[in-house]
């Protein structure tokens, strides 16, 4: 259980409070107990937001896009109409247009389609593990957590394996836009105004766009089944073709979402197993527990802290009056620690049942498109990894990404002995 934190000490807008791996949970715990729909002021140029921290409220908002829209943006940055038009991706659409854009790539991400990747994933996993474990001491993030999902994405995009490190670098620079170790330009710095029309205000987006456009030009008119070919050779069901800007933003979303979240989920899961050796022992004694344990991994990891919605009308939530235009931020990580839903939520329990987590969203139209793939990747990785380990221990500090958006681990230095 986290220790209490005064409500006056809560500041979800400050990325520095998300660096130690403990303070975020203390803040969210305080809000769930004392002010579940909390007005959080923000420094200029932003104007503040409602922090929604209870599981039931998060689910209610996520399932009501008519009242809480994604079209005004899904991160905390406040943008004007011109920026919205230029930067809108699948995440920033609702209604029929969202459904039509989502369906372009829905088939490759269904459970049935993903299951067909099983043999490939096992071969890839073994290759990744063979290279990493042979070193004895290594950075688990760099050698395993990042390497594995990015190679899956490379396969789905049909791009050379030699490009995977570049894809990882782009994801770091874009998502880590508040971390000086990653960002080309820190969000809200004066310099960032020059990049206001780019996703996350990241100059790396220009490089991603150029890379995607080259792939699109090569595959336009072809019969490929990779994700790029599907994007450039299909018209959405609503009959409105993707514009070049639509393609740019969709491709960038694939590059970022296809790597960052699964990578951090794997890292957090491994760290939890190291810190809870009895739970690791259970999975090693009975690997059949791993598929169900993946849901506890996802609950525990909560790789994305939040997503934003915007109120389309005056409404009420949790006894608070929400005004039209207010930012309403769903703290999914908080929902995953709600003691009204999870018994002893701060206990990591690989045999936990009825894990109603909101890591991928919950029943709303924006439920994560890649959820089945992420689950299978995590399952196969740990099915292949854990039987090989005699022991694994930390050998250094575990620094976090300076971000109140992505719950990321930068490095996980470990030493292993093998069976």
């Amino acid at each position: 259980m986290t220790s209490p934190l005064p409500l006056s000490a809560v500041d979800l807008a400050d990325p520095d409070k998300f660096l130690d791996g403990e303070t975020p949970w203390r803040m969210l715990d305080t809000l769930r107990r004392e002010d579940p729909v909390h007005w959080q002021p923000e420094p200029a140029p932003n104007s503040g937001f409602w922090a929604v921290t209870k599981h039931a409220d998060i689910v209610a908002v996520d399932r009501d896009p008519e009242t809480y829209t994604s079209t005004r943006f899904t991160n905390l940055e406040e943008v004007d109409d011109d920026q919205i038009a230029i930067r809108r991706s699948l995440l920033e659409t609702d209604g029929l247009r969202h459904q039509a854009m989502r369906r372009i790539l829905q088939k490759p991400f269904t459970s049935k389609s993903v299951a067909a990747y099983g043999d490939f994933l096992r071969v890839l996993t073994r290759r990744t593990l063979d290279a990493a474990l042979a070193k004895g001491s290594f950075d688990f993030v760099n050698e395993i957590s990042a390497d594995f999902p990015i190679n899956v994405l490379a396969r789905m995009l049909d791009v050379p394996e030699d490009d995977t490190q570049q894809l990882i670098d782009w994801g770091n620079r874009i998502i880590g836009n508040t971390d000086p170790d990653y960002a080309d330009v820190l969000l809200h710095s004066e310099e960032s105004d020059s990049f206001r029309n780019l996703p996350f205000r990241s100059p790396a987006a220009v490089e991603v766009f150029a890379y995607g456009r080259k792939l699109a030009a090569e595959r336009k008119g072809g019969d490929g089944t990779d994700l790029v070919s599907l994007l450039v050779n299909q018209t959405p069901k609503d009959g409105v073709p993707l514009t070049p800007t639509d393609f740019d933003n969709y491709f960038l979303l694939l590059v970022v979402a296809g790597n960052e979240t699964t990578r951090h989920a794997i890292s957090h899961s491994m760290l939890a197993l190291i810190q809870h050796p009895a739970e690791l022992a259970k999975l090693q004694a009975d690997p059949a527990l791993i598929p169900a344990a993946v849901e506890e991994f996802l609950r525990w990891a909560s790789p994305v802290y939040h997503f934003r919605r915007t109120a389309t009308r005056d409404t009420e939530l949790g006894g608070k009056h929400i005004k039209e235009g207010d930012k309403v931020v769903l703290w999914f990580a908080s929902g995953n620690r709600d003691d009204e839903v999870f018994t002893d939520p701060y206990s990591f329990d690989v045999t936990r049942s009825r894990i109603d987590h909101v890591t991928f969203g919950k029943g709303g139209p924006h439920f994560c498109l890649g959820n089945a793939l992420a689950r299978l990747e995590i399952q196969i990785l740990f099915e292949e990894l854990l039987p090989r380990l005699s022991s694994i221990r930390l050998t250094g500090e575990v620094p976090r990404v300076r971000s109140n958006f992505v719950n990321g681990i930068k490095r996980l230095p470990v030493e292993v002995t093998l069976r």
Side-chain angles (χ1 to χ4, degrees):
M1 180 66 179
T2 59
S3 55
L5 187 76
L7 183 61
S8 60
V10 171
D11 186 358
L12 297 176
D14 182 2
D16 285 331
K17 290 189 178 293
F18 290 76
L19 284 169
D20 65 8
E22 179 182 349
T23 301
W25 302 110
R26 296 177 67 197
M27 293 193 294
L28 295 170
D29 187 65
T30 294
L31 292 183
R32 286 194 306 277
R33 286 185 288 104
E34 299 185 27
D35 196 15
V37 180
H38 171 74
W39 179 253
Q40 175 64 66
E42 293 180 277
N46 286 356
S47 57
F49 59 83
W50 293 102
V52 182
T53 55
K54 293 290 290 182
H55 188 284
D57 290 334
I58 292 167
V59 172
V61 172
D62 202 27
R63 290 177 172 174
D64 186 5
E66 292 186 1
T67 305
Y68 304 99
T69 184
S70 297
T71 61
R72 299 299 302 177
F73 245 54
T74 54
N75 58 33
L76 296 179
E77 183 186 356
E78 294 172 20
V79 293
D80 60 31
D81 289 343
D82 289 342
Q83 288 173 283
I84 289 173
I86 294 171
R87 291 170 53 176
R88 176 175 287 122
S89 73
L90 177 67
L91 295 180
E92 288 83 31
T93 60
D94 276 331
L96 295 177
R97 183 57 175 170
H98 175 81
Q99 294 173 24
M101 290 181 68
R102 186 181 176 97
R103 284 174 183 161
I104 296 175
L105 296 186
Q106 194 152 18
K107 186 175 180 180
F109 289 103
T110 63
S111 296
K112 182 178 179 180
S113 295
V114 164
Y117 280 95
D119 290 342
F120 160 72
L121 290 174
R122 289 201 184 273
V123 171
L124 177 59
T125 303
R126 290 165 186 166
R127 188 183 72 184
T128 296
L129 294 178
D130 287 346
L133 298 178
K135 298 180 179 180
S137 296
F138 57 92
D139 174 11
F140 192 93
V141 171
N142 184 61
E143 300 292 338
I144 295 178
S145 303
D147 183 82
F148 175 51
I150 204 65
N151 276 287
V152 177
L153 178 65
R155 167 72 173 262
M156 298 185 78
L157 294 173
D158 192 18
V159 299
E161 289 185 14
D162 289 346
D163 291 355
T164 55
Q165 187 55 52
Q166 180 63 76
L167 295 172
I168 292 171
D169 178 61
W170 282 328
N172 287 341
R173 290 161 61 195
I174 291 169
I175 291 293
N177 65 340
T178 55
D179 190 311
D181 288 343
Y182 287 152
D184 300 295
V185 176
L186 286 174
L187 185 67
H188 298 318
S189 65
E190 288 186 15
E191 190 179 0
S192 77
D193 284 342
S194 301
F195 306 101
R196 63 191 300 273
N197 289 333
L198 294 174
F200 295 89
R201 295 196 179 209
S202 174
V206 175
E207 300 170 34
V208 176
F209 290 164
Y211 184 83
R213 290 167 188 168
K214 181 176 182 293
L215 296 177
E218 293 169 352
R219 297 173 192 180
K220 182 70 174 176
D223 57 1
T225 58
D226 61 274
L227 300 183
V228 176
S229 294
L230 294 177
L231 281 179
V232 298
N233 293 316
Q234 293 185 92
T235 298
K237 293 296 185 182
D238 62 358
V240 181
L242 293 182
T243 67
T245 299
D246 289 335
F247 173 83
D248 284 346
N249 292 331
Y250 212 142
F251 180 78
L252 183 139
L253 178 63
L254 290 172
V255 168
V256 172
N259 171 51
E260 287 288 322
T261 52
T262 305
R263 161 189 166 182
H264 294 310
I266 290 170
S267 298
H268 279 290
S269 300
M270 189 69 257
L271 177 60
L273 289 170
I274 294 171
Q275 294 175 331
H276 300 82
E279 301 305 297
L280 172 58
K282 290 177 187 177
L283 297 182
Q284 289 183 307
D286 186 3
L289 294 173
I290 292 175
V294 167
E295 300 308 310
E296 177 71 345
F297 292 169
L298 289 164
R299 181 193 76 87
W300 186 263
S302 297
V304 175
Y305 281 119
H306 72 257
F307 269 108
R308 165 196 165 187
R309 304 291 186 259
T310 303
T312 61
R313 58 180 177 85
D314 289 0
T315 188
E316 186 174 292
L317 181 68
K320 301 295 180 68
H321 177 66
I322 312 292
K323 295 183 293 184
E324 179 183 350
D326 282 354
K327 293 190 294 186
V328 179
V329 180
L330 309 182
W331 288 84
F332 294 115
S334 179
N336 284 343
R337 296 294 192 277
D338 191 336
D339 62 9
E340 292 184 5
V341 178
F342 305 102
T343 302
D344 195 7
Y346 291 97
S347 172
F348 178 68
D349 179 2
V350 298
T351 62
R352 185 187 295 273
S353 59
R354 299 179 60 193
I355 307 176
D356 190 24
H357 66 73
V358 289
T359 298
F360 296 123
K362 187 65 181 175
H366 288 272
F367 185 71
C368 176
L369 185 64
N371 76 89
L373 179 60
R375 285 180 159 109
L376 187 61
E377 288 183 38
I378 296 168
Q379 175 187 327
I380 288 177
L381 176 67
F382 285 99
E383 285 177 343
E384 295 292 332
L385 170 63
L386 299 188
R388 299 194 189 194
L389 296 179
S390 175
S391 68
I392 181 169
R393 67 179 186 89
L394 290 177
T395 59
E397 297 297 315
V398 181
R400 311 295 176 116
V401 179
R402 182 183 181 270
S403 174
N404 61 0
F405 173 58
V406 62
N407 181 17
I409 291 176
K410 291 181 179 179
R411 292 181 296 280
L412 186 62
V414 299
E415 182 180 81
V416 301
T417 56
L418 304 181
R419 292 183 170 181

